[in-house]
Amino acid sequence: MPTATQSLSHTSVADLTASVLRGDYGDDPAQLHAVGAFWVRQSTQFPGTDTKYRNYYLVLRVESGFGGCCVERDQLDSVIAEELSGRSVAELLRDERTPVRIAALDAYLSLVRPHREAARAQVFMLPHGTPLQRAKARDQAIASLLRIEPGMRVGLIGVVNPLVDAIRAHGGICLPCDFNMQRTADGTEVAKDMAPVLAQADLVIATGMTLSNGSFDEILAATRARNIPLIVYAQTGSAIVPRFLGDGVAAVSAEPFPFSQFSADPTPIHLYRAEGFVAGDARVAA
């Protein structure tokens, strides 16, 4: 049985889930239960802007582990939080609803492979501060994983405007893709179809929400086939994505629950880099 310092190779999220159900990660998921289920509906709008971010989360607690999955507005009914507690992790991993499976897998892996025990993870503390200060620090942490050369085409699947700015500041060409955005803050048109982005990009940055909408496997397969780096910034699936590190994923900014927007106190982000992957400077000014 692999230890926390050993890794298994997986072709997809479904393959990882099957591995967990076989017991490859230790604790039997049939003997663990979701003792808590939460539905969170949250919005953010910073002063002086007209952009309102709307987020919807399913969060499951399994013993000391939490698993989070951000979903689209109508993807799940909020009553789900009243239904899922008490069910075994094994049952939840077989649920027909993708976000339920992702939240359960994330909770299980956060329990058996906690970030604090990961040799490759660098702890990056977000400072105490306002929502905007903490959001900027978080985006800077993600940007620290990037090494963008002038003229490099960077696919951004799940648009975060500070990352658009960071890509351009380094001379990169941003190829933004998002289901819920028409244009970036600087007016760049945002694509709905990620296939052309994946075909053109020299490097791809994706959000963990690609797990909840089922597109993560397609992105992973495309970047593997083209042998280009994939960097993931993950609230959703923060314990899942590191399982693909060095096997299609070059770097991860993993932010476990409770997420930065739910606290003003210092909270950790865990930065992972695959062996041999060189990125930028991970320091953040206080």
Side-chain angles (χ1 to χ4, degrees):
M1 182 181 299
T3 67
T5 58
Q6 295 174 310
S7 62
L8 294 161
S9 179
H10 303 292
T11 59
S12 65
V13 175
D15 180 48
L16 171 59
T17 303
S19 182
V20 167
L21 286 167
R22 285 195 304 268
D24 294 344
Y25 281 82
D27 295 17
D28 182 357
Q31 300 303 313
L32 295 169
H33 294 78
V35 296
F38 312 84
W39 177 261
V40 182
R41 185 171 185 158
Q42 176 249 345
S43 69
T44 299
Q45 182 170 345
F46 296 119
T49 72
D50 56 7
T51 301
K52 186 182 294 290
Y53 298 94
R54 295 177 175 87
N55 296 311
Y56 309 89
Y57 299 94
L58 171 65
V59 179
L60 298 176
R61 181 170 188 173
V62 177
E63 294 190 353
S64 60
F66 285 86
C69 185
C70 187
V71 300
E72 298 291 346
R73 179 176 182 177
D74 299 319
Q75 198 171 357
L76 292 174
D77 192 296
S78 61
V79 73
I80 196 169
E82 302 173 25
E83 299 174 351
L84 297 182
S85 61
R87 296 187 184 179
S88 74
V89 172
E91 181 183 357
L92 295 172
L93 290 175
R94 296 185 175 99
D95 195 279
E96 64 180 10
R97 296 160 293 192
T98 299
V100 175
R101 298 194 303 272
I102 293 300
L105 182 61
D106 193 36
Y108 175 86
L109 290 170
S110 73
L111 174 67
V112 302
R113 294 291 189 274
H115 296 296
R116 65 181 177 275
E117 296 179 6
R120 286 184 176 177
Q122 174 191 355
V123 179
F124 181 104
M125 294 301 294
L126 297 181
H128 175 275
T130 67
L132 184 56
Q133 289 170 332
R134 286 169 58 76
K136 286 182 176 180
R138 181 191 64 191
D139 293 337
Q140 192 173 344
I142 298 166
S144 77
L145 294 171
L146 309 179
R147 180 168 289 254
I148 299 170
E149 303 294 337
M152 180 179 285
R153 295 164 297 182
V154 181
L156 183 59
I157 301 176
V159 173
V160 176
N161 282 305
L163 287 184
V164 176
D165 296 339
I167 291 166
R168 296 229 168 92
H170 287 84
I173 300 168
C174 184
L175 307 176
C177 179
D178 197 299
F179 290 137
N180 299 311
M181 190 176 291
Q182 303 294 324
R183 294 185 178 277
T184 64
D186 66 1
T188 302
E189 185 175 353
V190 177
K192 302 293 184 187
D193 182 3
M194 69 179 183
V197 172
L198 293 174
Q200 297 174 56
D202 301 308
L203 176 151
V204 174
I205 308 168
T207 173
M209 198 172 173
T210 55
L211 290 161
S212 63
N213 65 28
S215 61
F216 177 80
D217 286 347
E218 182 181 347
I219 297 167
L220 186 69
T223 55
R224 280 173 169 168
R226 296 190 56 225
N227 194 30
I228 60 174
L230 171 61
I231 291 91
V232 183
Y233 57 103
Q235 290 185 335
T236 293
S238 69
I240 296 173
V241 181
R243 307 281 72 78
F244 297 92
L245 193 70
D247 193 18
V249 173
V252 186
S253 173
E255 184 182 346
F257 187 84
F259 306 135
S260 58
Q261 60 266 43
F262 299 142
S263 175
D265 292 326
T267 53
I269 288 178
H270 304 271
L271 302 179
Y272 292 80
R273 296 174 179 84
E275 187 174 352
F277 179 72
V278 179
D281 186 359
R283 292 173 295 176
V284 165

PDB file of all heavy atoms in Angstrom, residues 159 161 164-165 168 174 176 181-191:
ATOM      1  N   VAL A 159     -11.623  32.434 -15.891  1.00  0.00           N
ATOM      2  CA  VAL A 159     -10.946  33.732 -15.939  1.00  0.00           C
ATOM      3  C   VAL A 159     -10.891  34.399 -14.570  1.00  0.00           C
ATOM      4  O   VAL A 159     -11.910  34.538 -13.889  1.00  0.00           O
ATOM      5  CB  VAL A 159     -11.639  34.667 -16.950  1.00  0.00           C
ATOM      6  CG1 VAL A 159     -11.050  36.077 -16.880  1.00  0.00           C
ATOM      7  CG2 VAL A 159     -11.487  34.114 -18.371  1.00  0.00           C
ATOM      8  N   ASN A 161      -9.279  38.010 -13.444  1.00  0.00           N
ATOM      9  CA  ASN A 161      -8.697  39.175 -14.105  1.00  0.00           C
ATOM     10  C   ASN A 161      -7.254  39.489 -13.681  1.00  0.00           C
ATOM     11  O   ASN A 161      -6.440  39.864 -14.531  1.00  0.00           O
ATOM     12  CB  ASN A 161      -9.605  40.391 -13.918  1.00  0.00           C
ATOM     13  CG  ASN A 161     -10.791  40.347 -14.870  1.00  0.00           C
ATOM     14  OD1 ASN A 161     -10.619  40.237 -16.080  1.00  0.00           O
ATOM     15  ND2 ASN A 161     -11.989  40.432 -14.332  1.00  0.00           N
ATOM     16  N   VAL A 164      -5.048  37.509 -15.835  1.00  0.00           N
ATOM     17  CA  VAL A 164      -4.968  38.097 -17.176  1.00  0.00           C
ATOM     18  C   VAL A 164      -3.893  39.185 -17.176  1.00  0.00           C
ATOM     19  O   VAL A 164      -3.034  39.245 -18.066  1.00  0.00           O
ATOM     20  CB  VAL A 164      -6.325  38.682 -17.619  1.00  0.00           C
ATOM     21  CG1 VAL A 164      -6.191  39.384 -18.971  1.00  0.00           C
ATOM     22  CG2 VAL A 164      -7.392  37.596 -17.670  1.00  0.00           C
ATOM     23  N   ASP A 165      -3.922  40.042 -16.150  1.00  0.00           N
ATOM     24  CA  ASP A 165      -2.937  41.120 -16.032  1.00  0.00           C
ATOM     25  C   ASP A 165      -1.521  40.566 -15.875  1.00  0.00           C
ATOM     26  O   ASP A 165      -0.567  41.094 -16.469  1.00  0.00           O
ATOM     27  CB  ASP A 165      -3.282  42.019 -14.844  1.00  0.00           C
ATOM     28  CG  ASP A 165      -4.613  42.741 -15.006  1.00  0.00           C
ATOM     29  OD1 ASP A 165      -5.068  42.873 -16.161  1.00  0.00           O
ATOM     30  OD2 ASP A 165      -5.194  43.148 -13.981  1.00  0.00           O
ATOM     31  N   ARG A 168      -0.156  39.241 -19.173  1.00  0.00           N
ATOM     32  CA  ARG A 168       0.210  40.322 -20.087  1.00  0.00           C
ATOM     33  C   ARG A 168       1.450  41.067 -19.592  1.00  0.00           C
ATOM     34  O   ARG A 168       2.269  41.519 -20.386  1.00  0.00           O
ATOM     35  CB  ARG A 168      -0.976  41.287 -20.216  1.00  0.00           C
ATOM     36  CG  ARG A 168      -2.183  40.600 -20.852  1.00  0.00           C
ATOM     37  CD  ARG A 168      -2.773  41.433 -21.976  1.00  0.00           C
ATOM     38  NE  ARG A 168      -3.736  40.627 -22.725  1.00  0.00           N
ATOM     39  CZ  ARG A 168      -5.024  40.577 -22.470  1.00  0.00           C
ATOM     40  NH1 ARG A 168      -5.527  41.282 -21.497  1.00  0.00           N
ATOM     41  NH2 ARG A 168      -5.825  39.827 -23.210  1.00  0.00           N
ATOM     42  N   CYS A 174      -2.727  36.200 -23.675  1.00  0.00           N
ATOM     43  CA  CYS A 174      -3.751  35.506 -22.898  1.00  0.00           C
ATOM     44  C   CYS A 174      -4.855  34.997 -23.821  1.00  0.00           C
ATOM     45  O   CYS A 174      -5.398  35.744 -24.642  1.00  0.00           O
ATOM     46  CB  CYS A 174      -4.330  36.431 -21.836  1.00  0.00           C
ATOM     47  SG  CYS A 174      -5.523  35.606 -20.742  1.00  0.00           S
ATOM     48  N   PRO A 176      -8.272  33.638 -22.998  1.00  0.00           N
ATOM     49  CA  PRO A 176      -9.219  33.380 -21.917  1.00  0.00           C
ATOM     50  C   PRO A 176     -10.410  32.539 -22.367  1.00  0.00           C
ATOM     51  O   PRO A 176     -10.910  32.662 -23.483  1.00  0.00           O
ATOM     52  CB  PRO A 176      -9.666  34.784 -21.509  1.00  0.00           C
ATOM     53  CG  PRO A 176      -9.534  35.594 -22.759  1.00  0.00           C
ATOM     54  CD  PRO A 176      -8.382  35.013 -23.532  1.00  0.00           C
ATOM     55  N   MET A 181     -18.423  34.453 -18.497  1.00  0.00           N
ATOM     56  CA  MET A 181     -17.881  35.786 -18.704  1.00  0.00           C
ATOM     57  C   MET A 181     -17.819  36.088 -20.195  1.00  0.00           C
ATOM     58  O   MET A 181     -17.421  35.229 -20.995  1.00  0.00           O
ATOM     59  CB  MET A 181     -16.491  35.885 -18.063  1.00  0.00           C
ATOM     60  CG  MET A 181     -15.922  37.287 -18.009  1.00  0.00           C
ATOM     61  SD  MET A 181     -14.328  37.350 -17.122  1.00  0.00           S
ATOM     62  CE  MET A 181     -14.846  37.001 -15.444  1.00  0.00           C
ATOM     63  N   GLN A 182     -18.230  37.305 -20.559  1.00  0.00           N
ATOM     64  CA  GLN A 182     -18.212  37.710 -21.964  1.00  0.00           C
ATOM     65  C   GLN A 182     -16.857  38.308 -22.362  1.00  0.00           C
ATOM     66  O   GLN A 182     -16.317  37.999 -23.417  1.00  0.00           O
ATOM     67  CB  GLN A 182     -19.310  38.760 -22.219  1.00  0.00           C
ATOM     68  CG  GLN A 182     -20.718  38.309 -21.854  1.00  0.00           C
ATOM     69  CD  GLN A 182     -21.220  37.184 -22.731  1.00  0.00           C
ATOM     70  OE1 GLN A 182     -20.924  37.139 -23.919  1.00  0.00           O
ATOM     71  NE2 GLN A 182     -21.971  36.265 -22.142  1.00  0.00           N
ATOM     72  N   ARG A 183     -16.338  39.177 -21.470  1.00  0.00           N
ATOM     73  CA  ARG A 183     -15.067  39.843 -21.735  1.00  0.00           C
ATOM     74  C   ARG A 183     -14.275  39.965 -20.435  1.00  0.00           C
ATOM     75  O   ARG A 183     -14.860  40.026 -19.358  1.00  0.00           O
ATOM     76  CB  ARG A 183     -15.291  41.233 -22.352  1.00  0.00           C
ATOM     77  CG  ARG A 183     -15.914  41.191 -23.743  1.00  0.00           C
ATOM     78  CD  ARG A 183     -16.019  42.563 -24.377  1.00  0.00           C
ATOM     79  NE  ARG A 183     -16.575  42.481 -25.720  1.00  0.00           N
ATOM     80  CZ  ARG A 183     -15.876  42.203 -26.813  1.00  0.00           C
ATOM     81  NH1 ARG A 183     -14.567  42.032 -26.706  1.00  0.00           N
ATOM     82  NH2 ARG A 183     -16.449  42.118 -28.000  1.00  0.00           N
ATOM     83  N   THR A 184     -12.971  40.031 -20.560  1.00  0.00           N
ATOM     84  CA  THR A 184     -12.128  40.297 -19.402  1.00  0.00           C
ATOM     85  C   THR A 184     -12.254  41.763 -19.022  1.00  0.00           C
ATOM     86  O   THR A 184     -12.855  42.560 -19.756  1.00  0.00           O
ATOM     87  CB  THR A 184     -10.667  39.958 -19.695  1.00  0.00           C
ATOM     88  OG1 THR A 184     -10.199  40.826 -20.737  1.00  0.00           O
ATOM     89  CG2 THR A 184     -10.500  38.513 -20.130  1.00  0.00           C
ATOM     90  N   ALA A 185     -11.662  42.154 -17.897  1.00  0.00           N
ATOM     91  CA  ALA A 185     -11.757  43.541 -17.432  1.00  0.00           C
ATOM     92  C   ALA A 185     -11.163  44.517 -18.437  1.00  0.00           C
ATOM     93  O   ALA A 185     -11.593  45.676 -18.504  1.00  0.00           O
ATOM     94  CB  ALA A 185     -11.064  43.690 -16.078  1.00  0.00           C
ATOM     95  N   ASP A 186     -10.197  44.068 -19.227  1.00  0.00           N
ATOM     96  CA  ASP A 186      -9.590  44.971 -20.216  1.00  0.00           C
ATOM     97  C   ASP A 186     -10.271  44.889 -21.578  1.00  0.00           C
ATOM     98  O   ASP A 186      -9.785  45.458 -22.553  1.00  0.00           O
ATOM     99  CB  ASP A 186      -8.093  44.713 -20.344  1.00  0.00           C
ATOM    100  CG  ASP A 186      -7.777  43.338 -20.925  1.00  0.00           C
ATOM    101  OD1 ASP A 186      -8.717  42.581 -21.252  1.00  0.00           O
ATOM    102  OD2 ASP A 186      -6.582  43.022 -21.074  1.00  0.00           O
ATOM    103  N   GLY A 187     -11.387  44.140 -21.653  1.00  0.00           N
ATOM    104  CA  GLY A 187     -12.177  44.118 -22.879  1.00  0.00           C
ATOM    105  C   GLY A 187     -11.906  42.969 -23.822  1.00  0.00           C
ATOM    106  O   GLY A 187     -12.544  42.873 -24.879  1.00  0.00           O
ATOM    107  N   THR A 188     -10.998  42.069 -23.480  1.00  0.00           N
ATOM    108  CA  THR A 188     -10.705  40.935 -24.345  1.00  0.00           C
ATOM    109  C   THR A 188     -11.883  39.964 -24.367  1.00  0.00           C
ATOM    110  O   THR A 188     -12.428  39.614 -23.317  1.00  0.00           O
ATOM    111  CB  THR A 188      -9.445  40.192 -23.858  1.00  0.00           C
ATOM    112  OG1 THR A 188      -8.346  41.108 -23.836  1.00  0.00           O
ATOM    113  CG2 THR A 188      -9.112  39.021 -24.770  1.00  0.00           C
ATOM    114  N   GLU A 189     -12.263  39.528 -25.542  1.00  0.00           N
ATOM    115  CA  GLU A 189     -13.369  38.583 -25.679  1.00  0.00           C
ATOM    116  C   GLU A 189     -12.988  37.237 -25.067  1.00  0.00           C
ATOM    117  O   GLU A 189     -11.867  36.747 -25.257  1.00  0.00           O
ATOM    118  CB  GLU A 189     -13.742  38.401 -27.151  1.00  0.00           C
ATOM    119  CG  GLU A 189     -14.967  37.524 -27.360  1.00  0.00           C
ATOM    120  CD  GLU A 189     -15.391  37.444 -28.818  1.00  0.00           C
ATOM    121  OE1 GLU A 189     -14.810  38.179 -29.638  1.00  0.00           O
ATOM    122  OE2 GLU A 189     -16.300  36.647 -29.123  1.00  0.00           O
ATOM    123  N   VAL A 190     -13.921  36.646 -24.332  1.00  0.00           N
ATOM    124  CA  VAL A 190     -13.680  35.375 -23.654  1.00  0.00           C
ATOM    125  C   VAL A 190     -14.361  34.254 -24.432  1.00  0.00           C
ATOM    126  O   VAL A 190     -15.569  34.310 -24.705  1.00  0.00           O
ATOM    127  CB  VAL A 190     -14.218  35.418 -22.210  1.00  0.00           C
ATOM    128  CG1 VAL A 190     -14.044  34.063 -21.523  1.00  0.00           C
ATOM    129  CG2 VAL A 190     -13.506  36.504 -21.413  1.00  0.00           C
ATOM    130  N   ALA A 191     -13.611  33.227 -24.782  1.00  0.00           N
ATOM    131  CA  ALA A 191     -14.146  32.093 -25.532  1.00  0.00           C
ATOM    132  C   ALA A 191     -14.992  31.196 -24.631  1.00  0.00           C
ATOM    133  O   ALA A 191     -14.726  31.072 -23.433  1.00  0.00           O
ATOM    134  CB  ALA A 191     -13.002  31.288 -26.137  1.00  0.00           C
TER     135      ALA A 191
END
